[in-house]
């Protein structure tokens, strides 16, 4: 476990992008998403939540913000693994990516999800499933567990149904905040 004040080790943020320089904090929205992610009573088992919204609303950026949040690191002390999807990747392809990152080798006759679950046993890890488009993509991860630990799944998607019952929406920035972001991006100060 990581002691307070100790910087995050690179493996704790496996594949997690940096926040954009122009990121405008949205404290109320960040808190709502954090509560949805951490607010379950589950201490052992599997938990899932999602972030849904239209294209360009900031779903992935909100997920990056959560993945880099100290409260999330405390809850998922074995790390955060970022797994990008998109329209073209299958769930099986992304599951194989996770196996490779975890160093999982598949014994004959053992399913990939079972092998990954064995590798995750006892861990407290968050998987960020970014830009999920289909039920098949999400379904590939439903059987994963972390016996004796806690496996969290944070899904970003345009589809409210794929985001799950504990999902939070991200709406487009209002006009004032959009102008501020654009001004900062262009180097113009208000």
């Amino acid at each position: 476990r990581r002691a307070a004040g100790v910087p995050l080790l690179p493996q704790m943020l496996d594949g997690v992008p940096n926040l954009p320089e122009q990121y405008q904090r949205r404290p109320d929205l960040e808190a709502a998403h954090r509560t949805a992610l951490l607010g379950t009573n589950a201490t052992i088992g599997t938990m899932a939540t999602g972030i849904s919204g239209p294209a360009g609303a900031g779903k992935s950026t909100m997920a990056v913000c959560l993945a880099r949040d100290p409260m999330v690191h405390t809850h998922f002390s074995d790390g955060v693994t970022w797994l990008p999807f998109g329209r073209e990747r299958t769930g099986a392809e992304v599951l194989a990516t996770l196996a490779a990152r975890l160093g999982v080798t598949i014994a004959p006759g053992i399913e990939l999800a079972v092998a990954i679950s064995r590798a995750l046993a006892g861990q407290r890890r968050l998987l960020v499933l970014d830009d999920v488009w289909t039920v098949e993509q999400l379904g590939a991860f439903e059987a994963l567990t972390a016996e004796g630990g806690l496996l969290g799944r944070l899904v970003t998607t345009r589809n409210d149904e794929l985001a799950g019952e504990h999902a939070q929406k991200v709406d487009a920035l209002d006009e004032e905040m959009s102008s501020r972001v654009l001004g900062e991006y262009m180097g113009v100060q208000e």
Side-chain angles (χ1 to χ4, degrees), residues 73-153:
H73 301 153
T74 298
H75 199 70
F76 297 104
S77 55
D78 289 303
V80 178
T81 301
W82 189 277
L83 297 163
F85 283 79
R87 283 186 182 181
E88 305 302 320
R89 295 187 78 193
T90 68
E93 289 170 339
V94 180
L95 199 59
T97 298
L98 175 60
R101 285 194 187 167
L102 295 174
V104 171
T105 54
I106 311 302
I110 302 294
E111 291 183 30
L112 185 57
V114 171
I116 292 171
S117 292
R118 287 179 182 166
L120 293 171
Q123 289 191 20
R124 295 180 64 87
R125 179 174 297 276
L126 175 64
L127 302 178
V128 180
L129 310 179
D130 184 45
D131 197 22
V132 172
W133 284 77
T134 68
V135 171
E136 179 277 331
Q137 290 173 326
L138 192 56
F141 287 78
E142 286 180 355
L144 293 183
T145 63
E147 187 175 326
L150 176 63
L151 181 62
R153 286 189 302 264

Side-chain angles (χ1 to χ4, degrees), residues 25-103:
R25 299 223 59 99
R26 297 161 87 174
D28 293 341
L29 190 57
E30 291 169 21
H33 286 287
R34 186 182 314 104
T35 298
L37 180 60
L38 305 179
T40 75
N41 292 327
T43 55
I44 295 178
T46 303
M47 57 177 286
T49 189
I51 301 172
S52 65
K59 299 175 297 294
S60 295
T61 301
M62 184 58 63
V64 170
C65 183
L66 290 170
R68 293 182 167 280
D69 185 289
M71 290 174 67
V72 172
H73 301 153
T74 298
H75 199 70
F76 297 104
S77 55
D78 289 303
V80 178
T81 301
W82 189 277
L83 297 163
F85 283 79
R87 283 186 182 181
E88 305 302 320
R89 295 187 78 193
T90 68
E93 289 170 339
V94 180
L95 199 59
T97 298
L98 175 60
R101 285 194 187 167
L102 295 174

Side-chain angles (χ1 to χ4, degrees), residues 6-23:
V6 175
L8 291 173
L9 301 173
Q11 67 269 23
M12 293 204 56
L13 293 175
D14 181 16
V16 177
N18 291 321
L19 274 170
E21 281 185 40
Q22 296 78 23
Y23 179 66

